[in-house]
PDB file of all heavy atoms in Angstrom:
ATOM      1  N   VAL A   1     -43.388 -65.030 112.889  1.00  0.00           N
ATOM      2  CA  VAL A   1     -44.777 -64.844 112.489  1.00  0.00           C
ATOM      3  C   VAL A   1     -45.582 -66.034 112.992  1.00  0.00           C
ATOM      4  O   VAL A   1     -45.275 -67.184 112.686  1.00  0.00           O
ATOM      5  CB  VAL A   1     -44.930 -64.698 110.962  1.00  0.00           C
ATOM      6  CG1 VAL A   1     -46.408 -64.641 110.567  1.00  0.00           C
ATOM      7  CG2 VAL A   1     -44.213 -63.436 110.481  1.00  0.00           C
ATOM      8  N   ALA A   2     -46.603 -65.754 113.792  1.00  0.00           N
ATOM      9  CA  ALA A   2     -47.502 -66.777 114.307  1.00  0.00           C
ATOM     10  C   ALA A   2     -48.768 -66.783 113.473  1.00  0.00           C
ATOM     11  O   ALA A   2     -49.358 -65.729 113.220  1.00  0.00           O
ATOM     12  CB  ALA A   2     -47.846 -66.510 115.768  1.00  0.00           C
ATOM     13  N   VAL A   3     -49.208 -67.953 113.046  1.00  0.00           N
ATOM     14  CA  VAL A   3     -50.401 -68.069 112.226  1.00  0.00           C
ATOM     15  C   VAL A   3     -51.540 -68.575 113.109  1.00  0.00           C
ATOM     16  O   VAL A   3     -51.376 -69.497 113.907  1.00  0.00           O
ATOM     17  CB  VAL A   3     -50.142 -68.999 111.019  1.00  0.00           C
ATOM     18  CG1 VAL A   3     -49.840 -70.411 111.453  1.00  0.00           C
ATOM     19  CG2 VAL A   3     -51.309 -68.987 110.043  1.00  0.00           C
ATOM     20  N   ILE A   4     -52.720 -67.938 112.998  1.00  0.00           N
ATOM     21  CA  ILE A   4     -53.826 -68.242 113.890  1.00  0.00           C
ATOM     22  C   ILE A   4     -55.141 -68.239 113.128  1.00  0.00           C
ATOM     23  O   ILE A   4     -55.360 -67.439 112.213  1.00  0.00           O
ATOM     24  CB  ILE A   4     -53.886 -67.231 115.070  1.00  0.00           C
ATOM     25  CG1 ILE A   4     -55.079 -67.536 115.978  1.00  0.00           C
ATOM     26  CG2 ILE A   4     -53.935 -65.783 114.567  1.00  0.00           C
ATOM     27  CD1 ILE A   4     -55.098 -66.711 117.255  1.00  0.00           C
ATOM     28  N   GLY A   5     -56.029 -69.161 113.522  1.00  0.00           N
ATOM     29  CA  GLY A   5     -57.373 -69.211 112.981  1.00  0.00           C
ATOM     30  C   GLY A   5     -58.282 -69.939 113.958  1.00  0.00           C
ATOM     31  O   GLY A   5     -57.822 -70.640 114.866  1.00  0.00           O
ATOM     32  N   HIS A   6     -59.583 -69.794 113.754  1.00  0.00           N
ATOM     33  CA  HIS A   6     -60.585 -70.389 114.649  1.00  0.00           C
ATOM     34  C   HIS A   6     -61.563 -71.236 113.862  1.00  0.00           C
ATOM     35  O   HIS A   6     -61.966 -70.884 112.744  1.00  0.00           O
ATOM     36  CB  HIS A   6     -61.328 -69.270 115.393  1.00  0.00           C
ATOM     37  CG  HIS A   6     -62.580 -69.714 116.078  1.00  0.00           C
ATOM     38  ND1 HIS A   6     -62.590 -70.604 117.131  1.00  0.00           N
ATOM     39  CD2 HIS A   6     -63.871 -69.412 115.845  1.00  0.00           C
ATOM     40  CE1 HIS A   6     -63.824 -70.812 117.525  1.00  0.00           C
ATOM     41  NE2 HIS A   6     -64.630 -70.109 116.751  1.00  0.00           N
ATOM     42  N   SER A   7     -61.972 -72.388 114.433  1.00  0.00           N
ATOM     43  CA  SER A   7     -62.977 -73.266 113.841  1.00  0.00           C
ATOM     44  C   SER A   7     -62.495 -73.784 112.488  1.00  0.00           C
ATOM     45  O   SER A   7     -61.397 -74.345 112.408  1.00  0.00           O
ATOM     46  CB  SER A   7     -64.310 -72.524 113.738  1.00  0.00           C
ATOM     47  OG  SER A   7     -65.354 -73.395 113.423  1.00  0.00           O
ATOM     48  N   ARG A   8     -63.262 -73.606 111.413  1.00  0.00           N
ATOM     49  CA  ARG A   8     -62.793 -74.037 110.098  1.00  0.00           C
ATOM     50  C   ARG A   8     -61.513 -73.307 109.719  1.00  0.00           C
ATOM     51  O   ARG A   8     -60.681 -73.850 108.983  1.00  0.00           O
ATOM     52  CB  ARG A   8     -63.884 -73.813 109.052  1.00  0.00           C
ATOM     53  CG  ARG A   8     -64.209 -72.363 108.722  1.00  0.00           C
ATOM     54  CD  ARG A   8     -65.526 -72.210 107.963  1.00  0.00           C
ATOM     55  NE  ARG A   8     -66.652 -72.553 108.819  1.00  0.00           N
ATOM     56  CZ  ARG A   8     -67.922 -72.540 108.402  1.00  0.00           C
ATOM     57  NH1 ARG A   8     -68.216 -72.195 107.167  1.00  0.00           N
ATOM     58  NH2 ARG A   8     -68.897 -72.872 109.239  1.00  0.00           N
ATOM     59  N   LEU A   9     -61.348 -72.097 110.233  1.00  0.00           N
ATOM     60  CA  LEU A   9     -60.121 -71.358 109.971  1.00  0.00           C
ATOM     61  C   LEU A   9     -59.014 -71.780 110.933  1.00  0.00           C
ATOM     62  O   LEU A   9     -57.844 -71.479 110.691  1.00  0.00           O
ATOM     63  CB  LEU A   9     -60.392 -69.851 110.033  1.00  0.00           C
ATOM     64  CG  LEU A   9     -61.429 -69.367 109.005  1.00  0.00           C
ATOM     65  CD1 LEU A   9     -61.585 -67.849 109.053  1.00  0.00           C
ATOM     66  CD2 LEU A   9     -61.047 -69.803 107.584  1.00  0.00           C
ATOM     67  N   GLY A  10     -59.358 -72.459 112.024  1.00  0.00           N
ATOM     68  CA  GLY A  10     -58.352 -73.144 112.835  1.00  0.00           C
ATOM     69  C   GLY A  10     -57.764 -74.314 112.071  1.00  0.00           C
ATOM     70  O   GLY A  10     -56.556 -74.543 112.097  1.00  0.00           O
ATOM     71  N   LYS A  11     -58.609 -75.072 111.381  1.00  0.00           N
ATOM     72  CA  LYS A  11     -58.132 -76.136 110.502  1.00  0.00           C
ATOM     73  C   LYS A  11     -57.186 -75.534 109.450  1.00  0.00           C
ATOM     74  O   LYS A  11     -56.146 -76.106 109.124  1.00  0.00           O
ATOM     75  CB  LYS A  11     -59.300 -76.820 109.806  1.00  0.00           C
ATOM     76  CG  LYS A  11     -60.421 -77.312 110.690  1.00  0.00           C
ATOM     77  CD  LYS A  11     -61.530 -77.994 109.887  1.00  0.00           C
ATOM     78  CE  LYS A  11     -62.871 -77.981 110.584  1.00  0.00           C
ATOM     79  NZ  LYS A  11     -62.938 -78.710 111.822  1.00  0.00           N
ATOM     80  N   THR A  12     -57.592 -74.376 108.941  1.00  0.00           N
ATOM     81  CA  THR A  12     -56.803 -73.699 107.916  1.00  0.00           C
ATOM     82  C   THR A  12     -55.431 -73.303 108.448  1.00  0.00           C
ATOM     83  O   THR A  12     -54.410 -73.520 107.791  1.00  0.00           O
ATOM     84  CB  THR A  12     -57.550 -72.448 107.417  1.00  0.00           C
ATOM     85  OG1 THR A  12     -58.815 -72.829 106.852  1.00  0.00           O
ATOM     86  CG2 THR A  12     -56.738 -71.700 106.381  1.00  0.00           C
ATOM     87  N   ALA A  13     -55.407 -72.704 109.648  1.00  0.00           N
ATOM     88  CA  ALA A  13     -54.136 -72.253 110.219  1.00  0.00           C
ATOM     89  C   ALA A  13     -53.190 -73.422 110.474  1.00  0.00           C
ATOM     90  O   ALA A  13     -51.979 -73.311 110.249  1.00  0.00           O
ATOM     91  CB  ALA A  13     -54.389 -71.477 111.520  1.00  0.00           C
ATOM     92  N   VAL A  14     -53.736 -74.551 110.933  1.00  0.00           N
ATOM     93  CA  VAL A  14     -52.893 -75.717 111.189  1.00  0.00           C
ATOM     94  C   VAL A  14     -52.302 -76.243 109.881  1.00  0.00           C
ATOM     95  O   VAL A  14     -51.111 -76.582 109.815  1.00  0.00           O
ATOM     96  CB  VAL A  14     -53.684 -76.812 111.917  1.00  0.00           C
ATOM     97  CG1 VAL A  14     -52.838 -78.080 112.060  1.00  0.00           C
ATOM     98  CG2 VAL A  14     -54.112 -76.329 113.306  1.00  0.00           C
ATOM     99  N   TRP A  15     -53.119 -76.314 108.821  1.00  0.00           N
ATOM    100  CA  TRP A  15     -52.595 -76.766 107.545  1.00  0.00           C
ATOM    101  C   TRP A  15     -51.577 -75.771 106.974  1.00  0.00           C
ATOM    102  O   TRP A  15     -50.560 -76.159 106.401  1.00  0.00           O
ATOM    103  CB  TRP A  15     -53.715 -77.011 106.538  1.00  0.00           C
ATOM    104  CG  TRP A  15     -53.217 -77.483 105.193  1.00  0.00           C
ATOM    105  CD1 TRP A  15     -53.436 -76.909 103.978  1.00  0.00           C
ATOM    106  CD2 TRP A  15     -52.413 -78.641 104.926  1.00  0.00           C
ATOM    107  NE1 TRP A  15     -52.836 -77.615 102.969  1.00  0.00           N
ATOM    108  CE2 TRP A  15     -52.180 -78.689 103.534  1.00  0.00           C
ATOM    109  CE3 TRP A  15     -51.844 -79.633 105.730  1.00  0.00           C
ATOM    110  CZ2 TRP A  15     -51.428 -79.700 102.926  1.00  0.00           C
ATOM    111  CZ3 TRP A  15     -51.074 -80.630 105.129  1.00  0.00           C
ATOM    112  CH2 TRP A  15     -50.878 -80.655 103.750  1.00  0.00           C
ATOM    113  N   ALA A  16     -51.826 -74.483 107.160  1.00  0.00           N
ATOM    114  CA  ALA A  16     -50.856 -73.478 106.720  1.00  0.00           C
ATOM    115  C   ALA A  16     -49.521 -73.681 107.423  1.00  0.00           C
ATOM    116  O   ALA A  16     -48.455 -73.639 106.801  1.00  0.00           O
ATOM    117  CB  ALA A  16     -51.399 -72.069 106.985  1.00  0.00           C
ATOM    118  N   GLY A  17     -49.578 -73.910 108.739  1.00  0.00           N
ATOM    119  CA  GLY A  17     -48.352 -74.136 109.491  1.00  0.00           C
ATOM    120  C   GLY A  17     -47.659 -75.432 109.125  1.00  0.00           C
ATOM    121  O   GLY A  17     -46.427 -75.501 109.095  1.00  0.00           O
ATOM    122  N   ALA A  18     -48.442 -76.469 108.835  1.00  0.00           N
ATOM    123  CA  ALA A  18     -47.865 -77.759 108.462  1.00  0.00           C
ATOM    124  C   ALA A  18     -47.237 -77.730 107.083  1.00  0.00           C
ATOM    125  O   ALA A  18     -46.196 -78.352 106.849  1.00  0.00           O
ATOM    126  CB  ALA A  18     -48.942 -78.845 108.525  1.00  0.00           C
ATOM    127  N   SER A  19     -47.841 -77.025 106.149  1.00  0.00           N
ATOM    128  CA  SER A  19     -47.388 -77.029 104.760  1.00  0.00           C
ATOM    129  C   SER A  19     -46.398 -75.920 104.443  1.00  0.00           C
ATOM    130  O   SER A  19     -45.714 -75.988 103.418  1.00  0.00           O
ATOM    131  CB  SER A  19     -48.592 -76.932 103.810  1.00  0.00           C
ATOM    132  OG  SER A  19     -49.367 -75.757 104.067  1.00  0.00           O
ATOM    133  N   ASP A  20     -46.304 -74.904 105.296  1.00  0.00           N
ATOM    134  CA  ASP A  20     -45.388 -73.788 105.059  1.00  0.00           C
ATOM    135  C   ASP A  20     -44.517 -73.581 106.296  1.00  0.00           C
ATOM    136  O   ASP A  20     -44.961 -72.976 107.277  1.00  0.00           O
ATOM    137  CB  ASP A  20     -46.172 -72.513 104.732  1.00  0.00           C
ATOM    138  CG  ASP A  20     -45.281 -71.377 104.229  1.00  0.00           C
ATOM    139  OD1 ASP A  20     -44.059 -71.407 104.489  1.00  0.00           O
ATOM    140  OD2 ASP A  20     -45.819 -70.456 103.570  1.00  0.00           O
ATOM    141  N   PRO A  21     -43.281 -74.055 106.273  1.00  0.00           N
ATOM    142  CA  PRO A  21     -42.415 -73.984 107.461  1.00  0.00           C
ATOM    143  C   PRO A  21     -41.956 -72.580 107.818  1.00  0.00           C
ATOM    144  O   PRO A  21     -41.290 -72.398 108.844  1.00  0.00           O
ATOM    145  CB  PRO A  21     -41.224 -74.872 107.077  1.00  0.00           C
ATOM    146  CG  PRO A  21     -41.206 -74.862 105.575  1.00  0.00           C
ATOM    147  CD  PRO A  21     -42.636 -74.769 105.154  1.00  0.00           C
ATOM    148  N   ARG A  22     -42.311 -71.572 107.018  1.00  0.00           N
ATOM    149  CA  ARG A  22     -41.936 -70.205 107.350  1.00  0.00           C
ATOM    150  C   ARG A  22     -42.681 -69.686 108.577  1.00  0.00           C
ATOM    151  O   ARG A  22     -42.191 -68.780 109.255  1.00  0.00           O
ATOM    152  CB  ARG A  22     -42.197 -69.272 106.167  1.00  0.00           C
ATOM    153  CG  ARG A  22     -41.321 -69.524 104.957  1.00  0.00           C
ATOM    154  CD  ARG A  22     -41.685 -68.573 103.811  1.00  0.00           C
ATOM    155  NE  ARG A  22     -43.047 -68.769 103.338  1.00  0.00           N
ATOM    156  CZ  ARG A  22     -43.658 -67.975 102.458  1.00  0.00           C
ATOM    157  NH1 ARG A  22     -43.028 -66.936 101.963  1.00  0.00           N
ATOM    158  NH2 ARG A  22     -44.903 -68.221 102.077  1.00  0.00           N
ATOM    159  N   PHE A  23     -43.849 -70.256 108.875  1.00  0.00           N
ATOM    160  CA  PHE A  23     -44.590 -69.825 110.051  1.00  0.00           C
ATOM    161  C   PHE A  23     -43.910 -70.380 111.294  1.00  0.00           C
ATOM    162  O   PHE A  23     -43.745 -71.590 111.446  1.00  0.00           O
ATOM    163  CB  PHE A  23     -46.044 -70.277 109.970  1.00  0.00           C
ATOM    164  CG  PHE A  23     -46.799 -69.632 108.844  1.00  0.00           C
ATOM    165  CD1 PHE A  23     -47.316 -70.389 107.804  1.00  0.00           C
ATOM    166  CD2 PHE A  23     -46.977 -68.264 108.810  1.00  0.00           C
ATOM    167  CE1 PHE A  23     -48.004 -69.792 106.758  1.00  0.00           C
ATOM    168  CE2 PHE A  23     -47.662 -67.659 107.761  1.00  0.00           C
ATOM    169  CZ  PHE A  23     -48.175 -68.414 106.740  1.00  0.00           C
ATOM    170  N   ALA A  24     -43.546 -69.486 112.206  1.00  0.00           N
ATOM    171  CA  ALA A  24     -42.735 -69.872 113.363  1.00  0.00           C
ATOM    172  C   ALA A  24     -43.553 -70.458 114.495  1.00  0.00           C
ATOM    173  O   ALA A  24     -43.010 -71.150 115.361  1.00  0.00           O
ATOM    174  CB  ALA A  24     -41.942 -68.665 113.874  1.00  0.00           C
ATOM    175  N   LEU A  25     -44.846 -70.192 114.535  1.00  0.00           N
ATOM    176  CA  LEU A  25     -45.701 -70.642 115.623  1.00  0.00           C
ATOM    177  C   LEU A  25     -47.107 -70.793 115.061  1.00  0.00           C
ATOM    178  O   LEU A  25     -47.542 -70.010 114.223  1.00  0.00           O
ATOM    179  CB  LEU A  25     -45.665 -69.637 116.777  1.00  0.00           C
ATOM    180  CG  LEU A  25     -46.330 -69.975 118.097  1.00  0.00           C
ATOM    181  CD1 LEU A  25     -45.603 -69.288 119.250  1.00  0.00           C
ATOM    182  CD2 LEU A  25     -47.798 -69.548 118.120  1.00  0.00           C
ATOM    183  N   VAL A  26     -47.823 -71.811 115.542  1.00  0.00           N
ATOM    184  CA  VAL A  26     -49.161 -72.119 115.035  1.00  0.00           C
ATOM    185  C   VAL A  26     -50.137 -72.114 116.193  1.00  0.00           C
ATOM    186  O   VAL A  26     -49.858 -72.668 117.258  1.00  0.00           O
ATOM    187  CB  VAL A  26     -49.186 -73.493 114.328  1.00  0.00           C
ATOM    188  CG1 VAL A  26     -50.604 -73.831 113.859  1.00  0.00           C
ATOM    189  CG2 VAL A  26     -48.211 -73.509 113.147  1.00  0.00           C
ATOM    190  N   ILE A  27     -51.307 -71.501 115.983  1.00  0.00           N
ATOM    191  CA  ILE A  27     -52.356 -71.483 117.000  1.00  0.00           C
ATOM    192  C   ILE A  27     -53.619 -72.073 116.413  1.00  0.00           C
ATOM    193  O   ILE A  27     -54.167 -71.571 115.434  1.00  0.00           O
ATOM    194  CB  ILE A  27     -52.616 -70.055 117.512  1.00  0.00           C
ATOM    195  CG1 ILE A  27     -51.347 -69.488 118.162  1.00  0.00           C
ATOM    196  CG2 ILE A  27     -53.772 -70.055 118.508  1.00  0.00           C
ATOM    197  CD1 ILE A  27     -51.448 -68.033 118.551  1.00  0.00           C
ATOM    198  N   SER A  28     -54.079 -73.153 117.032  1.00  0.00           N
ATOM    199  CA  SER A  28     -55.304 -73.842 116.637  1.00  0.00           C
ATOM    200  C   SER A  28     -56.421 -73.482 117.588  1.00  0.00           C
ATOM    201  O   SER A  28     -56.426 -73.917 118.743  1.00  0.00           O
ATOM    202  CB  SER A  28     -55.073 -75.358 116.640  1.00  0.00           C
ATOM    203  OG  SER A  28     -56.299 -76.073 116.646  1.00  0.00           O
ATOM    204  N   GLY A  29     -57.380 -72.701 117.120  1.00  0.00           N
ATOM    205  CA  GLY A  29     -58.529 -72.348 117.932  1.00  0.00           C
ATOM    206  C   GLY A  29     -59.720 -73.225 117.593  1.00  0.00           C
ATOM    207  O   GLY A  29     -60.335 -73.058 116.542  1.00  0.00           O
ATOM    208  N   ASN A  30     -60.016 -74.200 118.467  1.00  0.00           N
ATOM    209  CA  ASN A  30     -61.196 -75.055 118.311  1.00  0.00           C
ATOM    210  C   ASN A  30     -61.276 -75.650 116.901  1.00  0.00           C
ATOM    211  O   ASN A  30     -62.335 -75.644 116.266  1.00  0.00           O
ATOM    212  CB  ASN A  30     -62.466 -74.264 118.607  1.00  0.00           C
ATOM    213  CG  ASN A  30     -62.434 -73.524 119.936  1.00  0.00           C
ATOM    214  OD1 ASN A  30     -62.455 -72.306 119.962  1.00  0.00           O
ATOM    215  ND2 ASN A  30     -62.371 -74.255 121.028  1.00  0.00           N
ATOM    216  N   SER A  31     -60.183 -76.194 116.423  1.00  0.00           N
ATOM    217  CA  SER A  31     -60.124 -76.696 115.045  1.00  0.00           C
ATOM    218  C   SER A  31     -60.850 -78.015 114.856  1.00  0.00           C
ATOM    219  O   SER A  31     -61.259 -78.340 113.736  1.00  0.00           O
ATOM    220  CB  SER A  31     -58.669 -76.807 114.578  1.00  0.00           C
ATOM    221  OG  SER A  31     -57.960 -77.767 115.337  1.00  0.00           O
ATOM    222  N   GLY A  32     -61.013 -78.813 115.901  1.00  0.00           N
ATOM    223  CA  GLY A  32     -61.847 -79.999 115.862  1.00  0.00           C
ATOM    224  C   GLY A  32     -61.440 -81.034 114.835  1.00  0.00           C
ATOM    225  O   GLY A  32     -60.277 -81.185 114.474  1.00  0.00           O
ATOM    226  N   CYS A  33     -62.463 -81.776 114.354  1.00  0.00           N
ATOM    227  CA  CYS A  33     -62.250 -82.805 113.347  1.00  0.00           C
ATOM    228  C   CYS A  33     -61.666 -82.185 112.086  1.00  0.00           C
ATOM    229  O   CYS A  33     -62.065 -81.103 111.664  1.00  0.00           O
ATOM    230  CB  CYS A  33     -63.577 -83.485 113.021  1.00  0.00           C
ATOM    231  SG  CYS A  33     -63.498 -84.787 111.783  1.00  0.00           S
ATOM    232  N   CYS A  34     -60.705 -82.875 111.507  1.00  0.00           N
ATOM    233  CA  CYS A  34     -59.990 -82.382 110.325  1.00  0.00           C
ATOM    234  C   CYS A  34     -59.048 -81.234 110.670  1.00  0.00           C
ATOM    235  O   CYS A  34     -58.396 -80.675 109.793  1.00  0.00           O
ATOM    236  CB  CYS A  34     -60.933 -81.973 109.196  1.00  0.00           C
ATOM    237  SG  CYS A  34     -62.203 -83.188 108.801  1.00  0.00           S
ATOM    238  N   GLY A  35     -59.001 -80.897 111.966  1.00  0.00           N
ATOM    239  CA  GLY A  35     -57.996 -79.980 112.477  1.00  0.00           C
ATOM    240  C   GLY A  35     -56.997 -80.791 113.276  1.00  0.00           C
ATOM    241  O   GLY A  35     -56.243 -81.572 112.723  1.00  0.00           O
ATOM    242  N   VAL A  36     -57.020 -80.631 114.613  1.00  0.00           N
ATOM    243  CA  VAL A  36     -56.088 -81.388 115.445  1.00  0.00           C
ATOM    244  C   VAL A  36     -56.751 -82.538 116.191  1.00  0.00           C
ATOM    245  O   VAL A  36     -56.059 -83.342 116.820  1.00  0.00           O
ATOM    246  CB  VAL A  36     -55.350 -80.472 116.452  1.00  0.00           C
ATOM    247  CG1 VAL A  36     -54.588 -79.365 115.723  1.00  0.00           C
ATOM    248  CG2 VAL A  36     -56.324 -79.868 117.464  1.00  0.00           C
ATOM    249  N   ALA A  37     -58.082 -82.638 116.158  1.00  0.00           N
ATOM    250  CA  ALA A  37     -58.771 -83.712 116.873  1.00  0.00           C
ATOM    251  C   ALA A  37     -58.625 -85.043 116.143  1.00  0.00           C
ATOM    252  O   ALA A  37     -58.690 -85.092 114.905  1.00  0.00           O
ATOM    253  CB  ALA A  37     -60.249 -83.383 117.056  1.00  0.00           C
ATOM    254  N   ILE A  38     -58.469 -86.111 116.889  1.00  0.00           N
ATOM    255  CA  ILE A  38     -58.301 -87.448 116.322  1.00  0.00           C
ATOM    256  C   ILE A  38     -59.562 -87.865 115.566  1.00  0.00           C
ATOM    257  O   ILE A  38     -60.644 -87.959 116.141  1.00  0.00           O
ATOM    258  CB  ILE A  38     -57.977 -88.470 117.426  1.00  0.00           C
ATOM    259  CG1 ILE A  38     -56.656 -88.116 118.125  1.00  0.00           C
ATOM    260  CG2 ILE A  38     -57.929 -89.883 116.853  1.00  0.00           C
ATOM    261  CD1 ILE A  38     -55.444 -88.117 117.215  1.00  0.00           C
ATOM    262  N   SER A  39     -59.442 -88.140 114.281  1.00  0.00           N
ATOM    263  CA  SER A  39     -60.603 -88.494 113.459  1.00  0.00           C
ATOM    264  C   SER A  39     -61.200 -89.837 113.852  1.00  0.00           C
ATOM    265  O   SER A  39     -62.422 -90.029 113.810  1.00  0.00           O
ATOM    266  CB  SER A  39     -60.213 -88.511 111.977  1.00  0.00           C
ATOM    267  OG  SER A  39     -59.824 -87.231 111.538  1.00  0.00           O
ATOM    268  N   ARG A  40     -60.356 -90.792 114.232  1.00  0.00           N
ATOM    269  CA  ARG A  40     -60.821 -92.143 114.552  1.00  0.00           C
ATOM    270  C   ARG A  40     -61.702 -92.188 115.794  1.00  0.00           C
ATOM    271  O   ARG A  40     -62.357 -93.206 116.036  1.00  0.00           O
ATOM    272  CB  ARG A  40     -59.626 -93.088 114.698  1.00  0.00           C
ATOM    273  CG  ARG A  40     -59.030 -93.542 113.362  1.00  0.00           C
ATOM    274  CD  ARG A  40     -57.703 -94.260 113.565  1.00  0.00           C
ATOM    275  NE  ARG A  40     -57.211 -94.926 112.357  1.00  0.00           N
ATOM    276  CZ  ARG A  40     -56.625 -94.344 111.350  1.00  0.00           C
ATOM    277  NH1 ARG A  40     -56.404 -93.002 111.408  1.00  0.00           N
ATOM    278  NH2 ARG A  40     -56.213 -95.016 110.292  1.00  0.00           N
ATOM    279  N   ARG A  41     -61.751 -91.132 116.573  1.00  0.00           N
ATOM    280  CA  ARG A  41     -62.649 -91.094 117.715  1.00  0.00           C
ATOM    281  C   ARG A  41     -64.104 -90.945 117.272  1.00  0.00           C
ATOM    282  O   ARG A  41     -65.007 -91.348 118.000  1.00  0.00           O
ATOM    283  CB  ARG A  41     -62.275 -89.949 118.660  1.00  0.00           C
ATOM    284  CG  ARG A  41     -61.144 -90.277 119.590  1.00  0.00           C
ATOM    285  CD  ARG A  41     -60.764 -89.108 120.480  1.00  0.00           C
ATOM    286  NE  ARG A  41     -61.889 -88.412 121.081  1.00  0.00           N
ATOM    287  CZ  ARG A  41     -62.590 -88.820 122.144  1.00  0.00           C
ATOM    288  NH1 ARG A  41     -62.264 -89.980 122.722  1.00  0.00           N
ATOM    289  NH2 ARG A  41     -63.593 -88.110 122.614  1.00  0.00           N
ATOM    290  N   CYS A  42     -64.344 -90.352 116.132  1.00  0.00           N
ATOM    291  CA  CYS A  42     -65.714 -90.188 115.623  1.00  0.00           C
ATOM    292  C   CYS A  42     -66.614 -89.553 116.679  1.00  0.00           C
ATOM    293  O   CYS A  42     -67.754 -89.990 116.908  1.00  0.00           O
ATOM    294  CB  CYS A  42     -66.293 -91.527 115.171  1.00  0.00           C
ATOM    295  SG  CYS A  42     -65.333 -92.355 113.880  1.00  0.00           S
TER     296      CYS A  42
END
């Protein structure tokens, strides 16, 4: 099962994949800050 979301829901999909190891594959669509983008870059 691949979990996918876009924008704020991209952030959601990444956290779902990180917190629930049952998801076999994670797709981050434009998740940005608080998703996969480095926060310290500002």
Side-chain angles (χ1 to χ4, degrees):
V1 175
V3 64
I4 178 172
H6 166 65
S7 192
R8 69 195 68 182
L9 300 184
K11 308 181 204 296
T12 300
V14 174
W15 180 237
S19 58
D20 190 339
R22 293 178 297 172
F23 295 117
L25 188 150
V26 177
I27 299 173
S28 163
N30 309 115
S31 64
C33 180
C34 311
V36 302
I38 298 299
S39 296
R40 282 169 169 78
R41 279 178 45 79
C42 302

